[in-house]
Amino acid sequence: MADFPINAEVIALFTKIFKGTLKGVIQWEKTADTSMLVAPLEGEYGLSLKEIPDLDERDAPPDHALSLSKGRQIIFILNRKDFEGIDFQRLLGEKYEHVYTVFRELWINAYLKAHKITEEINIISSILDKKLK
Amino acid sequence: MSKRAEEAAVEARNLIERKSVAQELRECGDDINLIKINSENSIWPVASFICNRLILRLTFIINRWSDHFCDDTKSNLSLTITQLDTLNSQFRKFIIRTPNQSEMSGILSVAVRLSTILAAEYGKYESTINKK
């Protein structure tokens, strides 16, 4: 967990990263580790997103950890436990009742961007559209 | 020293520094190629050694030549260091166990990506050497 209080600024920053990822404006890219993605921001700032074992140590799908760094220095690492009690439905929409869903959606969209899956689907879809005319 | 002489001295120093930046970036690109060759041949301890040396080298470069770098270059070099950190973690795993096909292809794909980034940065600074 983050070793500092999660205040309004951190929540606002996390929300921007989430929305930026869904819009595809954050340039996530794959790494040599399939469970980790990275994205440059500007200058020495960058993000990493990692699949981690379930934080409640259950036999459940993985959790995720988001970190912000400057060069090799990690500024903070956040996971769903840091946001317990935060009303993401109000901030992001109805379907985000659980923080897990927010992190899961962040991972899926970052993964799609990093592997260029959406781009490929759009290209193939447009090829098929032409053929089907 | 006259103002013109002073300007000429500053320009000469900048030129030498730009040459050094370009040279250092080219050597980093060579290191990436060495990492790729060692990965293809599964020589993980050597790949890890070169990777670690490259991380230190890039960390030095980004700090030493900071004044010459635009935000894009800083961003690209920081991204390269982050990618190398992950690459090195993988190398340390593979000293103990054999990588699967997907892990192997992940390594080679990152090596190609980093090689491209460094070649582009090297080209960028090489092209400034003859400009005033």
Side-chain angles (χ1 to χ4, degrees):
Chain A
M1 283 177 76
D3 52 1
F4 57 87
I6 299 298
N7 58 21
E9 283 79 19
V10 177
I11 296 166
L13 178 62
F14 178 75
T15 307
K16 281 178 196 169
I17 293 168
F18 180 82
K19 288 180 176 170
T21 299
L22 262 61
K23 279 189 179 172
V25 295
I26 295 181
Q27 302 301 315
W28 288 102
E29 61 178 70
K30 55 190 177 181
T31 67
D33 182 348
T34 50
S35 66
M36 185 168 168
L37 303 170
V38 293
L41 289 174
E42 201 171 287
E44 291 184 62
Y45 292 99
L47 297 168
S48 339
L49 186 59
K50 189 165 175 52
E51 276 188 318
I52 53 172
D54 174 53
L55 291 164
D56 296 319
E57 295 175 11
R58 300 164 303 186
D59 185 16
D63 268 302
H64 304 91
L66 174 75
S67 59
L68 171 70
S69 45
K70 185 181 181 190
R72 295 186 83 191
Q73 183 197 349
I74 293 173
I75 298 170
F76 59 65
I77 304 176
L78 300 168
N79 62 52
R80 71 175 165 85
K81 294 262 183 190
D82 294 309
F83 294 105
E84 277 175 354
I86 305 295
D87 185 359
F88 277 108
Q89 275 186 310
R90 185 178 58 80
L91 293 168
L92 301 170
E94 275 299 304
K95 71 175 186 179
Y96 301 110
E97 184 184 353
H98 303 290
V99 191
Y100 173 80
T101 320
V102 180
F103 273 90
R104 175 83 186 138
E105 190 93 346
L106 178 65
W107 170 261
I108 290 171
N109 281 276
Y111 186 93
L112 290 174
K113 180 78 179 178
H115 289 79
K116 300 183 173 24
I117 293 170
T118 314
E119 285 172 38
E120 301 292 352
I121 288 174
N122 288 341
I123 291 168
I124 293 162
S125 180
S126 121
I127 291 169
L128 289 175
D129 282 345
K130 280 180 201 161
K131 286 187 187 290
L132 288 168
K133 270 183 185 172
Chain B
M1 195 191 286
S2 75
K3 195 166 187 323
R4 273 183 66 186
E6 202 174 322
E7 280 170 5
V10 169
E11 182 50 40
R13 197 189 64 202
N14 276 338
L15 177 65
I16 291 167
E17 288 190 355
R18 286 201 298 270
K19 275 186 181 167
S20 298
V21 172
Q23 178 65 24
E24 297 239 29
L25 290 171
R26 195 178 70 176
E27 285 169 12
C28 288
D30 293 344
D31 269 358
I32 294 280
N33 289 333
L34 279 178
I35 288 174
K36 192 164 170 280
I37 292 166
N38 280 284
S39 301
E40 282 165 345
N41 291 288
S42 305
I43 310 171
W44 307 117
V46 178
S48 175
F49 172 81
I50 299 166
C51 194
N52 202 40
R53 185 178 69 185
L54 186 52
I55 290 168
L56 296 176
R57 195 171 199 173
L58 282 168
T59 306
F60 169 80
I61 290 171
I62 208 169
N63 287 293
R64 173 63 181 87
W65 305 115
S66 175
D67 291 348
H68 290 279
F69 294 148
C70 62
D71 263 0
D72 271 356
T73 298
K74 284 181 188 168
S75 182
N76 281 333
L77 297 183
S78 290
L79 174 71
T80 304
I81 291 172
T82 308
Q83 287 278 18
L84 286 169
D85 268 328
T86 312
L87 204 54
N88 208 15
S89 306
Q90 295 295 89
F91 291 153
R92 285 196 295 267
K93 283 183 206 166
F94 303 151
I95 291 171
I96 302 164
R97 68 164 175 86
T98 310
N100 61 35
Q101 206 176 346
S102 141
E103 288 171 324
M104 196 67 204
S105 108
I107 282 175
L108 297 178
S109 144
V110 166
V112 169
R113 165 98 175 105
L114 297 184
S115 184
T116 310
I117 292 177
L118 288 173
E121 290 301 332
Y122 159 62
K124 197 196 290 183
Y125 287 91
E126 177 77 11
S127 75
T128 66
I129 288 175
N130 295 321
K131 287 180 189 166
K132 283 206 170 176

